Amino acid sequence: MLVNVVKSKIHRVKVTGAELHYIGSITIDEDLMDAAGVIEGERLQIVNVTNGERLETYAIPGPRSSGEITLNGAAARKVAKGDILILIAYAFMELDEAKAFKPSLVFPNEDTNLLK
C-alpha cells in the first residue's frame, strides 16, 4: 500500500510578487527549493496563512539568494504581496518507508525569505 505523506515544507515565506499574466506556477528562490528538496515542476500545495486560501500549482526556480516567492497566473488572484505562505510537497511511499521517513522542513527568515 502507498500512503501520501509530507515530503518537504518551506514554512512561512513572504509573497514578493503576483504575476497574473503568466502561464502559471510559483517562482521560488532556488536556494529554498534546494534546501527543501523541491524540484522544478514539482506539485506544491500553497497555504496562505494571511487569508486562509489553499491552492495547488507547480514550482519553478527563481534567482538564487533573491528571496523571490511569486505566484503566477490565476494563483496570483489568491495572494497579495506581503502575504505569508507555507509551501508543502507530498510524496507517495510504501507504508514502512513512510513510517521512518523524515521530511525536509525549511524555516527561512520571514522578512527576507533567505536561509538564515
Side-chain angles (χ1 to χ4, degrees):
M1 172 188 355
L2 293 177
V3 294
N4 197 12
V5 299
V6 173
K7 180 191 95 156
S8 55
K9 178 167 78 165
I10 302 173
H11 192 76
R12 297 185 64 89
V13 288
K14 188 180 293 185
V15 173
T16 60
E19 298 292 334
L20 181 61
H21 301 291
Y22 187 85
I23 297 169
S25 70
I26 181 171
T27 305
I28 304 169
D29 179 325
E30 197 166 4
D31 288 340
L32 294 175
M33 288 177 62
D34 288 349
V38 171
I39 62 168
E40 184 172 359
E42 186 167 0
R43 181 180 177 181
L44 294 176
Q45 180 180 40
I46 312 300
V47 179
N48 189 328
V49 175
T50 304
N51 67 17
E53 290 280 355
R54 289 178 173 253
L55 62 108
E56 290 184 351
T57 190
Y58 60 93
I60 61 172
R64 289 189 180 278
S65 301
S66 65
E68 182 175 359
I69 300 291
T70 300
L71 275 292
N72 304 302
R77 294 196 182 275
K78 303 287 189 178
V79 301
K81 188 174 179 179
D83 283 1
I84 301 299
L85 307 179
I86 299 170
L87 315 179
I88 308 166
Y90 298 91
F92 287 101
M93 297 179 196
E94 291 290 342
L95 185 58
D96 288 341
E97 179 186 11
K99 286 179 179 180
F101 181 76
K102 301 294 182 217
S104 297
L105 305 176
V106 178
F107 299 91
N109 180 301
E110 197 172 313
D111 293 322
T112 65
N113 295 337
L114 299 177
L115 297 171
K116 296 179 181 173

